[in-house]
Coordinates of all heavy atoms in Angstrom, one line a residue:
R17 N -5.5 0.0 -21.4 CA -5.9 1.4 -21.8 C -4.8 2.4 -21.3 O -4.8 3.5 -21.7 CB -7.2 1.7 -21.1 CG -8.3 0.9 -21.5 CD -9.6 1.2 -20.8 NE -9.4 1.9 -19.5 CZ -10.3 2.6 -18.9 NH1 -11.6 2.6 -19.4 NH2 -10.2 3.1 -17.7
Y18 N -3.9 1.9 -20.3 CA -3.0 2.8 -19.8 C -1.6 2.7 -20.4 O -1.2 1.6 -20.8 CB -2.9 2.5 -18.2 CG -4.3 2.8 -17.6 CD1 -5.1 1.8 -17.3 CD2 -4.6 4.0 -17.3 CE1 -6.3 2.0 -16.7 CE2 -5.9 4.3 -16.7 CZ -6.8 3.2 -16.4 OH -8.0 3.5 -15.9
T19 N -0.9 3.8 -20.3 CA 0.5 3.8 -20.9 C 1.5 3.6 -19.8 O 1.2 3.9 -18.6 CB 0.9 5.1 -21.6 OG1 0.8 6.1 -20.7 CG2 -0.1 5.3 -22.8
P20 N 2.7 3.0 -20.0 CA 3.7 2.9 -18.9 C 4.2 4.2 -18.3 O 4.7 4.2 -17.3 CB 4.9 2.2 -19.7 CG 4.3 1.6 -20.9 CD 3.1 2.5 -21.3
E21 N 3.9 5.3 -19.0 CA 4.3 6.6 -18.4 C 3.3 7.0 -17.3 O 3.7 7.9 -16.5 CB 4.3 7.7 -19.5 CG 5.4 7.5 -20.5 CD 5.1 6.4 -21.6 OE1 3.9 6.2 -21.8 OE2 6.0 5.8 -22.0
Q22 N 2.2 6.5 -17.2 CA 1.2 6.9 -16.2 C 1.6 6.2 -14.9 O 1.9 5.0 -14.8 CB -0.2 6.5 -16.6 CG -0.7 7.3 -17.7 CD -2.2 6.8 -18.1 OE1 -2.2 5.7 -18.9 NE2 -3.1 7.6 -17.8
L23 N 1.6 7.0 -13.8 CA 2.0 6.5 -12.5 C 0.7 6.4 -11.6 O -0.2 7.2 -11.6 CB 3.0 7.6 -11.9 CG 4.3 7.7 -12.7 CD1 5.2 8.7 -12.0 CD2 5.0 6.3 -12.8
F24 N 0.8 5.5 -10.7 CA -0.3 5.2 -9.7 C 0.3 4.9 -8.4 O 1.4 4.5 -8.2 CB -1.1 3.9 -10.2 CG -1.6 4.0 -11.6 CD1 -0.8 3.6 -12.7 CD2 -2.8 4.5 -11.9 CE1 -1.3 3.6 -14.0 CE2 -3.3 4.6 -13.1 CZ -2.5 4.1 -14.2
E25 N -0.6 5.0 -7.4 CA -0.2 4.7 -6.1 C -1.2 3.6 -5.7 O -2.4 3.6 -5.9 CB -0.5 5.8 -5.1 CG -0.2 5.5 -3.6 CD -0.5 6.7 -2.7 OE1 -0.9 7.8 -3.1 OE2 -0.3 6.4 -1.5
I26 N -0.7 2.4 -5.1 CA -1.5 1.4 -4.7 C -2.3 1.8 -3.4 O -1.8 2.2 -2.5 CB -0.7 0.1 -4.3 CG1 0.1 -0.4 -5.6 CG2 -1.5 -1.0 -3.7 CD1 1.0 -1.5 -5.4
Q27 N -3.7 1.7 -3.6 CA -4.5 2.0 -2.5 C -4.8 0.9 -1.5 O -4.7 1.0 -0.3 CB -5.9 2.5 -3.0 CG -5.7 3.9 -3.7 CD -7.1 4.4 -4.1 OE1 -7.8 3.7 -4.9 NE2 -7.6 5.5 -3.6
Y28 N -5.2 -0.3 -2.0 CA -5.6 -1.4 -1.2 C -5.8 -2.6 -2.2 O -6.0 -2.5 -3.4 CB -6.8 -1.2 -0.4 CG -8.0 -0.5 -1.2 CD1 -8.8 -1.3 -1.9 CD2 -8.2 0.8 -1.0 CE1 -9.8 -0.7 -2.7 CE2 -9.3 1.4 -1.7 CZ -10.1 0.6 -2.6 OH -11.0 1.2 -3.3
S29 N -5.8 -3.8 -1.6 CA -6.0 -5.1 -2.4 C -7.6 -5.4 -2.3 O -8.3 -4.8 -1.5 CB -5.2 -6.2 -1.8 OG -5.7 -6.5 -0.6
Y30 N -7.9 -6.2 -3.1 CA -9.3 -6.7 -3.1 C -9.7 -7.3 -1.8 O -10.7 -7.0 -1.2 CB -9.6 -7.6 -4.3 CG -11.0 -8.0 -4.4 CD1 -11.9 -7.3 -5.3 CD2 -11.6 -9.1 -3.7 CE1 -13.2 -7.6 -5.4 CE2 -12.9 -9.4 -3.8 CZ -13.8 -8.7 -4.7 OH -15.0 -9.0 -4.8
A31 N -8.7 -8.1 -1.2 CA -8.9 -8.7 0.0 C -9.1 -7.8 1.1 O -9.9 -7.9 2.0 CB -7.9 -9.8 0.3
Q32 N -8.4 -6.7 1.1 CA -8.4 -5.7 2.2 C -9.8 -4.9 2.1 O -10.4 -4.6 3.1 CB -7.3 -4.6 2.0 CG -6.0 -5.2 2.4 CD -4.9 -4.3 2.1 OE1 -4.8 -3.7 1.0 NE2 -4.0 -4.1 3.0
K33 N -10.2 -4.7 1.0 CA -11.5 -4.0 0.8 C -12.8 -4.8 1.0 O -13.7 -4.4 1.7 CB -11.6 -3.4 -0.6 CG -12.8 -2.5 -0.9 CD -12.7 -1.1 -0.3 CE -13.8 -0.2 -0.7 NZ -13.7 1.0 -0.1
Y34 N -12.8 -6.1 0.4 CA -13.9 -6.9 0.5 C -13.8 -8.2 1.1 O -14.8 -9.0 1.2 CB -14.5 -7.1 -1.0 CG -14.8 -5.9 -1.7 CD1 -14.1 -5.4 -2.8 CD2 -15.9 -5.2 -1.4 CE1 -14.3 -4.1 -3.4 CE2 -16.3 -4.0 -2.0 CZ -15.5 -3.5 -3.0 OH -15.8 -2.3 -3.6
G35 N -12.6 -8.6 1.6 CA -12.3 -9.9 2.2 C -11.8 -10.9 1.2 O -11.8 -10.6 0.0
G36 N -11.6 -12.0 1.7 CA -11.0 -13.1 0.8 C -9.7 -13.4 1.2 O -8.8 -12.6 1.5
S37 N -9.4 -14.7 1.2 CA -8.1 -15.2 1.6 C -7.3 -15.9 0.5 O -6.1 -16.3 0.6 CB -8.2 -16.1 2.8 OG -9.0 -17.3 2.4
D38 N -7.9 -16.0 -0.8 CA -7.3 -16.7 -1.8 C -6.2 -15.7 -2.4 O -6.3 -14.5 -2.3 CB -8.3 -17.0 -2.9 CG -9.1 -15.9 -3.5 OD1 -9.5 -15.0 -2.8 OD2 -9.2 -15.9 -4.7
D39 N -5.3 -16.2 -3.1 CA -4.2 -15.5 -3.8 C -4.7 -14.4 -4.7 O -4.2 -13.3 -4.7 CB -3.2 -16.4 -4.6 CG -2.2 -16.9 -3.7 OD1 -2.0 -16.5 -2.5 OD2 -1.4 -17.9 -4.1
R40 N -5.7 -14.7 -5.5 CA -6.3 -13.7 -6.4 C -6.8 -12.5 -5.7 O -6.5 -11.3 -6.1 CB -7.5 -14.3 -7.3 CG -8.0 -13.5 -8.3 CD -8.9 -14.1 -9.3 NE -9.3 -13.2 -10.2 CZ -10.5 -13.0 -10.5 NH1 -11.5 -13.7 -10.0 NH2 -10.9 -12.2 -11.5
S41 N -7.5 -12.7 -4.6 CA -8.0 -11.5 -3.8 C -6.9 -10.7 -3.2 O -6.9 -9.4 -3.1 CB -8.9 -12.0 -2.6 OG -10.0 -12.6 -3.2
K42 N -5.7 -11.4 -2.9 CA -4.6 -10.6 -2.2 C -3.7 -10.0 -3.2 O -3.0 -9.1 -2.9 CB -3.8 -11.6 -1.4 CG -4.5 -12.1 -0.2 CD -3.7 -13.2 0.5 CE -4.4 -13.9 1.7 NZ -3.6 -14.8 2.3
K43 N -3.8 -10.4 -4.5 CA -2.9 -9.9 -5.5 C -3.6 -9.0 -6.6 O -3.1 -8.8 -7.6 CB -2.2 -11.0 -6.2 CG -1.3 -11.7 -5.2 CD -0.5 -12.8 -5.9 CE 0.5 -13.5 -4.9 NZ 1.3 -14.4 -5.5
Q44 N -4.8 -8.5 -6.2 CA -5.5 -7.5 -7.1 C -5.6 -6.2 -6.4 O -6.0 -6.2 -5.3 CB -6.8 -8.0 -7.6 CG -6.6 -9.2 -8.7 CD -7.9 -9.6 -9.4 OE1 -9.0 -9.3 -8.9 NE2 -7.7 -10.1 -10.5
Y45 N -5.3 -5.1 -7.0 CA -5.2 -3.8 -6.4 C -6.0 -2.7 -7.0 O -6.2 -2.7 -8.2 CB -3.7 -3.4 -6.3 CG -2.9 -4.3 -5.6 CD1 -2.2 -5.3 -6.2 CD2 -2.8 -4.3 -4.2 CE1 -1.4 -6.2 -5.6 CE2 -2.0 -5.2 -3.5 CZ -1.3 -6.1 -4.2 OH -0.5 -7.1 -3.5
S46 N -6.5 -1.8 -6.2 CA -7.1 -0.6 -6.7 C -5.9 0.5 -6.7 O -5.1 0.5 -5.7 CB -8.1 -0.1 -5.7 OG -8.6 1.2 -6.0
L47 N -5.8 1.2 -7.8 CA -4.8 2.2 -8.0 C -5.4 3.5 -8.0 O -6.4 3.7 -8.8 CB -4.0 1.8 -9.2 CG -3.4 0.4 -9.4 CD1 -2.7 0.3 -10.7 CD2 -2.5 0.1 -8.3
K48 N -4.7 4.5 -7.4 CA -5.0 5.9 -7.4 C -4.0 6.5 -8.5 O -2.9 6.4 -8.5 CB -4.9 6.6 -6.2 CG -5.3 8.1 -6.2 CD -5.0 8.8 -4.9 CE -5.4 10.2 -5.0 NZ -5.0 10.9 -6.2
H49 N -4.7 7.2 -9.4 CA -3.9 7.9 -10.4 C -3.1 9.1 -9.7 O -3.9 9.9 -9.0 CB -4.7 8.5 -11.5 CG -5.6 7.5 -12.3 ND1 -5.2 7.2 -13.6 CD2 -6.5 6.7 -11.9 CE1 -6.1 6.3 -14.0 NE2 -6.8 5.9 -12.9
L50 N -1.8 9.2 -9.9 CA -1.1 10.2 -9.1 C -1.4 11.6 -9.4 O -1.4 12.5 -8.6 CB 0.4 9.9 -9.3 CG 1.0 8.8 -8.5 CD1 2.5 8.8 -8.5 CD2 0.7 9.0 -7.0
F51 N -1.7 11.8 -10.7 CA -1.8 13.2 -11.2 C -3.2 13.5 -11.7 O -3.4 14.5 -12.4 CB -0.7 13.5 -12.2 CG 0.6 13.2 -11.6 CD1 1.3 12.1 -12.2 CD2 1.2 14.0 -10.7 CE1 2.5 11.8 -11.7 CE2 2.4 13.6 -10.2 CZ 3.1 12.5 -10.7
E52 N -4.2 12.7 -11.3 CA -5.6 12.9 -11.6 C -6.3 12.6 -10.4 O -5.9 11.9 -9.4 CB -6.0 12.0 -12.8 CG -5.3 12.1 -14.1 CD -5.6 11.0 -15.0 OE1 -6.6 10.5 -15.0 OE2 -4.7 10.8 -15.9
D53 N -7.6 13.0 -10.3 CA -8.4 12.8 -9.1 C -9.3 11.7 -9.2 O -10.4 11.8 -9.1 CB -9.0 14.2 -8.8 CG -9.6 14.1 -7.3 OD1 -9.2 13.5 -6.5 OD2 -10.7 14.8 -7.1
N54 N -8.8 10.5 -9.6 CA -9.6 9.4 -9.7 C -8.8 8.1 -9.5 O -7.6 8.1 -9.2 CB -10.3 9.3 -11.0 CG -9.3 9.3 -12.2 OD1 -8.1 9.1 -12.0 ND2 -9.8 9.6 -13.4
S55 N -9.4 7.0 -9.4 CA -8.7 5.7 -9.2 C -9.3 4.6 -10.1 O -10.5 4.9 -10.6 CB -8.8 5.3 -7.7 OG -10.1 5.1 -7.3
S56 N -8.7 3.5 -10.2 CA -9.2 2.4 -11.0 C -8.8 1.1 -10.3 O -7.9 1.0 -9.6 CB -8.4 2.4 -12.4 OG -8.7 3.6 -13.0
A57 N -9.7 0.1 -10.5 CA -9.5 -1.2 -9.9 C -10.0 -2.2 -11.0 O -10.7 -1.9 -11.8 CB -10.3 -1.3 -8.7
W58 N -9.6 -3.4 -11.0 CA -8.7 -4.3 -10.2 C -7.6 -4.6 -11.1 O -7.8 -5.2 -12.2 CB -9.4 -5.4 -9.6 CG -10.5 -5.0 -8.6 CD1 -11.8 -5.0 -8.9 CD2 -10.2 -4.5 -7.3 NE1 -12.4 -4.5 -7.8 CE2 -11.5 -4.2 -6.8 CE3 -9.2 -4.2 -6.5 CZ2 -11.7 -3.7 -5.5 CZ3 -9.4 -3.7 -5.3 CH2 -10.7 -3.4 -4.8
F59 N -6.3 -4.3 -10.7 CA -5.1 -4.6 -11.5 C -4.5 -5.8 -10.8 O -4.2 -5.8 -9.6 CB -4.2 -3.5 -11.6 CG -4.8 -2.3 -12.4 CD1 -5.5 -1.4 -11.8 CD2 -4.6 -2.3 -13.8 CE1 -6.0 -0.3 -12.6 CE2 -5.1 -1.2 -14.5 CZ -5.9 -0.3 -13.9
D60 N -4.1 -6.8 -11.6 CA -3.3 -7.9 -11.0 C -1.9 -7.5 -10.7 O -1.3 -6.8 -11.6 CB -3.4 -9.1 -12.0 CG -2.9 -10.4 -11.4 OD1 -3.7 -11.0 -10.7 OD2 -1.8 -10.8 -11.7
E61 N -1.4 -8.1 -9.7 CA 0.0 -7.8 -9.3 C 1.0 -8.0 -10.5 O 2.0 -7.3 -10.6 CB 0.4 -8.7 -8.1 CG 1.7 -8.4 -7.5 CD 2.0 -9.3 -6.3 OE1 2.4 -10.5 -6.5 OE2 1.7 -8.9 -5.2
S62 N 0.7 -9.1 -11.3 CA 1.7 -9.4 -12.4 C 1.7 -8.3 -13.5 O 2.5 -8.2 -14.3 CB 1.3 -10.7 -13.0 OG 0.0 -10.6 -13.6
E63 N 0.7 -7.4 -13.5 CA 0.6 -6.3 -14.5 C 1.3 -5.1 -14.0 O 1.6 -4.2 -14.9 CB -0.9 -6.0 -14.7 CG -1.7 -7.0 -15.4 CD -3.1 -6.6 -15.5 OE1 -3.8 -6.2 -14.5 OE2 -3.6 -6.7 -16.6
L64 N 1.7 -5.0 -12.8 CA 2.3 -3.8 -12.1 C 3.8 -3.9 -12.1 O 4.5 -4.9 -11.9 CB 1.8 -3.6 -10.8 CG 0.2 -3.6 -10.6 CD1 -0.1 -3.4 -9.1 CD2 -0.3 -2.5 -11.5
E65 N 4.4 -2.7 -12.4 CA 5.9 -2.6 -12.3 C 6.2 -1.5 -11.2 O 5.7 -0.4 -11.3 CB 6.5 -2.1 -13.6 CG 7.9 -2.0 -13.6 CD 8.4 -1.6 -15.0 OE1 7.9 -2.1 -16.0 OE2 9.3 -0.7 -15.1
L66 N 7.1 -1.9 -10.2 CA 7.4 -1.0 -9.1 C 8.2 0.2 -9.6 O 9.2 0.0 -10.3 CB 8.1 -1.7 -8.0 CG 8.5 -0.9 -6.8 CD1 7.2 -0.4 -6.0 CD2 9.3 -1.8 -5.9

Side-chain angles (χ1 to χ4, degrees):
R17 301 181 333 166
Y18 299 99
T19 65
E21 292 79 28
Q22 291 177 285
L23 300 176
F24 304 89
E25 178 182 2
I26 296 177
Q27 291 184 301
Y28 45 80
S29 70
Y30 187 91
Q32 288 171 315
K33 183 77 172 179
Y34 299 108
S37 58
D38 62 317
D39 273 349
R40 185 170 182 229
S41 296
K42 293 178 183 177
K43 293 183 178 184
Q44 289 193 336
Y45 298 95
S46 174
L47 306 179
K48 181 185 182 312
H49 299 249
L50 281 187
F51 307 106
E52 300 172 24
D53 193 25
N54 57 14
S55 61
S56 300
W58 298 101
F59 293 90
D60 192 77
E61 186 176 84
S62 65
E63 296 178 302
L64 306 178
E65 181 180 318
L66 182 66

